[in-house]
Amino acid sequence: MGLCWTTTFSYGPYDSTSMAVFDSTYLLQPNQARPTARLHPPATVAMQCRRRLAPLLRAPPPRILLYRLLSSSYSSPPSSGGGDEAAASGVAVKQVTRGNLAEALEELRARVRDAAFVGFDLEMSGVTSAPWRDTFELDRADVRYLKLRDSAQRFAALQLGICPFRWDPAKSAFVAHPHNFFIFPRKELPYDNSSHEFLCQTSSIDFLAKYQFDFNTCFHEGISYLSRAQEEEALQKLNVLHHDAISVSSNTSEEGEDAPLKSTADLLFTERMKIRFNEWCDAIRSNSRVDNNLLGSNKFGTDQFQTVFFKMRPAVMLNGFTSHQLKLIQQVLRKNFKDLMYVCTFGEDDTSEKRVVYTDNSDDSILLMKDVQQDLLTSRKAKVESAIGIRHVIDLLASERKLIVGHSCFLDIAQVYSKFIGPLPSSIKDFSLGINKVFPHIADTRHLMSANDAVQYLMRQKSKSLSSAFSFLCPTAAESSTRTPVKIEVEADETTLSCFASGAKHEAGYDAFMTGSVFAQLCAHLDINFEHLTPKENLARNNKLQKYINHLSPSFNSGTVLDLSTGTERPDTGYKSRYPAAVYDNVVLIWRFQSELRAKDIKDAICKVFGPASVTTIFSIDRTAVLVQFSKQESVNDFLDLKATLERTDSAISVLHPLSTILQGGKTRAANYETYRDICNSSVSKYFFADQAEAVCPASNTELKCENLDAGDAHLDETTNASVQRGEGTKYTSKNRDNSDISCQDILDVLQDGKTLFSKRISQT
């Protein structure tokens, strides 16, 4: 049994000056410059080498150095920096790659089984594929989910952080075991035709690089995976291969017919094979005892005919033959040897192995075929099992049904569903119910920060980011008397200390540890007493915590709380919105206007026509599109009809109308909110929203269609023939005038009160 070392975690900022960095060539003292390249006599070089190696030879072994480093970082006093630097404190995090997955998984099973809850985190290759794919406060719940689903489908999970927290009554503390799993979706199955492409967002990759993310380990040693849906598909393919028996042929050519022997070389080759197999069969039949000496004799054992035993039967391994020659051998066996079977199997590296096996009779041949097929099926199933990879961790968490704790974790669990369960459902309700079946107990620390009056008061004017919450809620030992934090210890096995590294923020394993630590402190502020918690008790069953479980915010700006057990959303009472409540029937989507036009310019132009209070909200999707919310629902159709009317006429009135600012260039498009949803639902990916809209919705499909074209022309005629009020109350009508009779005063009146001339008349119609 290996020795274990345990250290009590000290909630203090990380002191970077205590970190020692060793150079394998030489050690530099502080403020010492690197030596320049010079030529020295051999004796001088040897003396310098001994002098430089002396400190390394006197230094403790690397494991002891790491142990001292981590221990000192726990017990050292906090630096004066505070803030997010607290999240950089060293913690022993187990690094797991495909090389040590089996060992780590076996250990993790026991850790999770004994845990009260499990901290969870993911690091991804990106978040949004385009600026307009970000979640906006004005997004409806279904649109917000479509954007998050797009992110989970397009980007890769690069690290999975798992940290079981076990309550130790003897220590009155939680014992944490952080694990950091590197992930890379490589192709593991030779018959897997699925694509493993994913996007990388440059800002996300730059962010990870800033925090020393190990991309080499991720890409070279990352653990691959199959989702449950991919595993099921792979097993179905195996069953088809098994029933078709394509890997075994008993005296039957792969093509089903004999190939004609046209060349002299083929004739000579088949005759030679016939002689060789005859001699081999005669030797077996004439000797009651067939052993390795007979099979390995020079007469029958050559480089191409390697004689072996296969399934307790004499066999010849065929090496170095071309595919054409192998077909000729099968043809020879089928015509001349009823007791010889051609068998093709696959080795561990998926290389094919061809043999000719001697059987006693037809029943023995059938039995051999069944054995070979079953072995092939078993080996391929083992490959599928191995290809499951990191999903074994997800299956472990699902089977133990422990409380899973994340921080702003909606996108994280969407990634888990997409990568390890199957394709994401089309609706947020189906997704919620689906993930709830896999993980019945999920808690979000960000939601917990605003779920209780006492916690809200504690977190007032504090950032809710993970590192800031960790720094604030997990104080140092000196401050512990004021906020009485829950004691947490980190435990690592010294016998495998080489697998551990000092954790840092934005590493999934360490972030999972921070998430669990913050959760433990929040539970204490919710008056949850851990002293009565049994070692293996699932914290999800705690009565005081029940109402916070399976409630999380879909995004930081959603203003809603999603109940995973029902798939419904409700307003978040603690959220303060920057915009009036959205009424989606009152919203118009406008895109492809002039690039120099701003959202304020669009709002001003609309208000000149519909009134100063007609627009309650205008929101920029990006520089090519906006969402406009009208105060009245009928204004949506009025705006779209007026836009269509102005675009169908070239009169001076349409050119000088206030909406001409928006319509300038003739490319401006507009539609209702449902079109916005359809555009967000598309798998097409364009950087600018206007390009995305054009790719998804052709011009003929996006505009709201009038009931008939004549109705639109009637609006135009009525607009042209409208009466213009003069200052003295005299009415001048234009029924008997054409467009050439419009005076300057008419145009000025139109510009002064465009709403009276256009919108009001259309609204009445």
Side-chain angles (χ1 to χ4, degrees):
M1 181 180 294
L3 298 176
C4 287
W5 56 271
T6 306
T7 45
T8 303
F9 176 69
S10 175
Y11 301 100
Y14 176 69
D15 184 4
S16 61
T17 59
S18 64
M19 176 67 77
V21 180
F22 294 96
D23 191 308
S24 61
T25 306
Y26 47 76
L27 285 172
L28 293 180
Q29 301 301 324
N31 302 322
Q32 177 183 349
R34 286 185 180 270
T36 57
R38 296 178 183 175
L39 293 176
H40 297 284
T44 305
V45 172
M47 186 178 299
Q48 289 178 348
C49 289
R50 285 194 297 271
R51 189 184 308 118
R52 291 170 180 170
L53 288 173
L56 291 177
L57 295 174
R58 294 195 300 268
R63 290 185 178 182
I64 303 301
L65 284 174
L66 179 58
Y67 171 75
R68 291 180 182 175
L69 171 63
L70 298 176
S71 300
S72 63
S73 65
Y74 299 150
S75 58
S76 60
S79 62
S80 58
D84 284 352
E85 291 301 320
S89 178
V91 168
V93 179
K94 185 162 189 175
Q95 308 296 315
V96 185
T97 64
R98 57 179 176 172
N100 64 334
L101 173 63
E103 168 201 343
L105 187 62
E106 192 62 32
E107 175 204 350
L108 188 63
R109 291 185 192 279
R111 305 296 189 196
V112 172
R113 191 176 301 114
D114 295 340
F117 64 93
V118 179
F120 160 79
D121 186 73
L122 274 179
E123 295 297 332
M124 294 159 278
S125 64
V127 179
T128 54
S129 57
W132 63 270
R133 289 277 192 188
D134 203 356
T135 56
F136 301 138
E137 195 167 338
L138 207 60
D139 284 341
R140 199 167 60 192
D142 56 340
V143 173
R144 188 185 309 112
Y145 170 72
L146 292 175
K147 291 183 175 182
L148 292 169
R149 185 182 70 166
D150 177 83
S151 174
Q153 290 172 337
R154 292 184 186 276
F155 295 99
L158 301 179
Q159 276 185 347
L160 170 65
I162 299 295
C163 185
F165 285 77
R166 172 179 57 86
W167 177 253
D168 190 337
K171 299 178 180 179
S172 293
F174 277 109
V175 179
H177 299 273
H179 292 67
N180 188 54
F181 294 86
F182 285 92
I183 307 174
F184 188 72
R186 67 176 53 82
K187 182 177 179 179
E188 294 284 357
L189 300 177
Y191 44 86
D192 179 15
N193 297 322
S194 59
S195 173
H196 293 274
E197 299 175 345
F198 61 86
L199 293 184
C200 288
Q201 189 176 2
T202 53
S203 57
S204 296
I205 298 299
D206 184 63
F207 177 83
L208 292 175
K210 176 183 176 182
Y211 289 96
Q212 288 80 48
F213 185 93
D214 193 343
F215 290 100
N216 282 330
T217 299
C218 180
F219 296 153
H220 290 291
E221 297 297 328
I223 308 164
S224 59
Y225 56 84
L226 291 179
S227 69
R228 292 181 178 180
Q230 289 171 329
E231 179 193 8
E232 183 179 356
E233 181 183 356
L235 291 176
Q236 288 177 352
K237 289 182 179 179
L238 287 186
N239 288 330
V240 171
L241 292 175
H242 176 63
H243 291 302
D244 290 346
I246 64 171
S247 62
V248 178
S249 176
S250 174
N251 295 336
T252 303
S253 126
E254 293 182 0
E255 296 181 354
E257 293 183 1
D258 293 343
L261 303 178
K262 296 181 179 180
S263 68
T264 304
D266 287 349
L267 290 170
L268 293 176
F269 178 81
T270 54
E271 286 300 319
R272 184 159 56 91
M273 291 299 103
K274 188 188 303 182
I275 294 171
R276 294 296 301 272
F277 284 121
N278 264 321
E279 292 176 348
W280 185 63
C281 289
D282 291 342
I284 294 174
R285 296 188 189 103
S286 61
N287 288 272
S288 59
R289 180 174 175 269
V290 180
D291 55 16
N292 288 328
N293 292 328
L294 173 65
L295 293 179
S297 65
N298 291 333
K299 185 176 181 181
F300 304 108
T302 64
D303 291 339
Q304 285 189 312
F305 287 86
Q306 182 182 354
T307 51
V308 294
F309 275 100
F310 179 75
K311 298 287 184 183
M312 304 299 293
R313 299 171 177 87
V316 173
M317 184 79 74
L318 304 178
N319 299 320
F321 291 99
T322 65
S323 59
H324 178 66
Q325 289 174 332
L326 290 173
K327 289 181 180 180
L328 293 177
I329 290 176
Q330 294 177 64
Q331 186 170 318
V332 168
L333 297 177
R334 183 174 53 259
K335 285 185 174 181
N336 303 282
F337 301 95
K338 301 300 182 183
D339 50 359
L340 297 185
M341 288 185 60
Y342 178 86
V343 176
C344 177
T345 60
F346 295 90
E348 303 221 347
D349 55 352
D350 288 319
T351 56
S352 61
E353 298 175 347
K354 287 85 176 177
R355 300 179 181 87
V356 175
V357 183
Y358 180 87
T359 58
D360 294 332
N361 48 50
S362 59
D363 291 338
D364 190 30
S365 300
I366 295 173
L367 181 61
L368 176 62
M369 286 181 61
K370 289 182 178 180
D371 287 346
V372 171
Q373 291 180 25
Q374 188 60 44
D375 287 351
L376 184 62
L377 181 64
T378 302
S379 65
R380 284 179 168 171
K381 283 186 175 180
K383 288 183 182 297
V384 173
E385 179 74 12
S386 176
I388 290 174
I390 192 67
R391 207 202 78 214
H392 284 299
V393 178
I394 302 300
D395 290 344
L396 169 62
L397 297 177
S399 63
E400 293 295 335
R401 306 180 76 80
K402 295 290 184 177
L403 175 61
I404 307 299
V405 180
H407 182 83
S408 294
C409 59
F410 186 90
L411 182 56
D412 290 354
I413 63 175
Q415 275 276 3
V416 168
Y417 196 109
S418 173
K419 302 301 184 291
F420 308 125
I421 308 301
L424 282 163
S426 58
S427 72
I428 191 170
K429 182 175 182 179
D430 291 341
F431 164 73
S432 301
L433 299 178
I435 199 68
N436 188 247
K437 290 180 181 179
V438 181
F439 301 118
H441 313 294
I442 297 177
D444 190 335
T445 53
R446 188 181 181 92
H447 172 63
L448 278 176
M449 291 178 194
S450 58
N452 178 277
D453 292 339
V455 176
Q456 283 188 34
Y457 180 80
L458 180 70
M459 296 296 296
R460 66 191 185 281
Q461 298 180 344
K462 300 293 182 183
S463 171
K464 291 186 179 180
S465 70
L466 178 59
S467 56
S468 296
F470 179 75
S471 174
F472 176 71
L473 291 173
C474 304
T476 62
E479 298 171 325
S480 61
S481 58
T482 61
R483 290 199 287 272
T484 59
V486 179
K487 185 180 178 183
I488 297 176
E489 295 184 357
V490 179
E491 193 172 83
D493 186 357
E494 189 178 346
T495 60
T496 58
L497 200 56
S498 60
C499 298
F500 288 82
S502 178
K505 64 178 179 179
H506 304 301
E507 176 193 74
Y510 185 70
D511 283 359
F513 166 76
M514 287 200 298
T515 300
S517 300
V518 168
F519 174 75
Q521 311 311 318
L522 289 173
C523 286
H525 291 291
L526 293 174
D527 297 326
I528 296 176
N529 187 359
F530 296 120
E531 295 296 335
H532 304 296
L533 191 68
T534 59
K536 294 186 179 182
E537 183 178 346
N538 192 341
L539 199 57
R541 298 185 177 90
N542 187 281
N543 293 330
K544 293 183 179 180
L545 199 59
Q546 281 286 326
K547 60 182 179 181
Y548 305 115
I549 292 177
N550 291 329
H551 291 84
L552 62 155
S553 299
S555 65
F556 75 96
N557 59 0
S558 66
T560 60
V561 176
L562 174 66
D563 186 347
L564 293 177
S565 60
T566 62
T568 58
E569 290 190 56
R570 60 172 175 80
D572 185 356
T573 56
Y575 183 80
K576 295 181 180 180
S577 176
R578 297 181 300 164
Y579 301 95
V583 182
Y584 297 103
D585 289 339
N586 297 8
V587 175
V588 167
L589 169 67
I590 306 175
W591 73 93
R592 203 171 279 287
F593 41 77
Q594 294 292 308
S595 59
E596 65 273 7
L597 211 59
R598 298 174 300 169
K600 182 179 181 302
D601 300 328
I602 297 174
K603 180 179 180 180
D604 291 344
I606 295 175
C607 289
K608 285 179 182 178
V609 179
F610 291 89
S614 59
V615 176
T616 59
T617 306
I618 185 164
F619 187 88
S620 292
I621 298 174
D622 62 10
R623 71 181 191 182
T624 68
V626 295
L627 291 171
V628 179
Q629 178 170 300
F630 288 94
S631 57
K632 298 179 180 179
Q633 181 177 347
E634 56 267 22
S635 298
V636 173
N637 287 334
D638 289 347
F639 172 82
L640 294 171
D641 290 342
L642 178 56
K643 173 182 177 294
T645 300
L646 293 173
E647 288 175 334
R648 280 196 296 268
T649 180
D650 294 329
S651 68
I653 292 177
S654 64
V655 173
L656 296 174
H657 191 275
L659 287 187
S660 64
T661 304
I662 304 174
L663 305 180
Q664 185 179 359
K667 296 183 179 180
T668 303
R669 309 278 297 283
N672 59 15
Y673 194 85
E674 293 306 315
T675 301
Y676 175 59
R677 180 199 180 279
D678 294 340
I679 294 171
C680 293
N681 189 33
S682 172
S683 59
V684 177
S685 182
K686 302 290 184 181
Y687 186 78
F688 290 113
F689 183 86
D691 296 334
Q692 175 80 7
E694 294 302 310
V696 175
C697 303
S700 59
N701 296 336
T702 50
E703 306 289 350
L704 273 187
K705 297 178 181 177
C706 300
E707 293 190 6
N708 57 70
L709 191 58
D710 294 336
D713 293 337
H715 287 314
L716 178 60
D717 293 339
E718 188 174 354
T719 300
T720 306
N721 298 325
S723 296
V724 180
Q725 292 286 344
R726 294 302 181 107
E728 297 179 358
T730 306
K731 293 184 179 179
Y732 288 82
T733 183
S734 60
K735 286 186 178 180
N736 298 323
R737 298 185 298 171
D738 57 19
N739 289 340
S740 62
D741 295 327
I742 297 176
S743 67
C744 293
Q745 185 61 44
D746 292 337
I747 295 174
L748 291 174
D749 288 340
V750 170
L751 295 176
Q752 182 178 1
D753 192 6
K755 180 180 179 181
T756 302
L757 183 60
F758 291 92
S759 181
K760 184 176 179 181
R761 299 294 298 171
I762 293 175
S763 178
Q764 290 174 351
T765 302

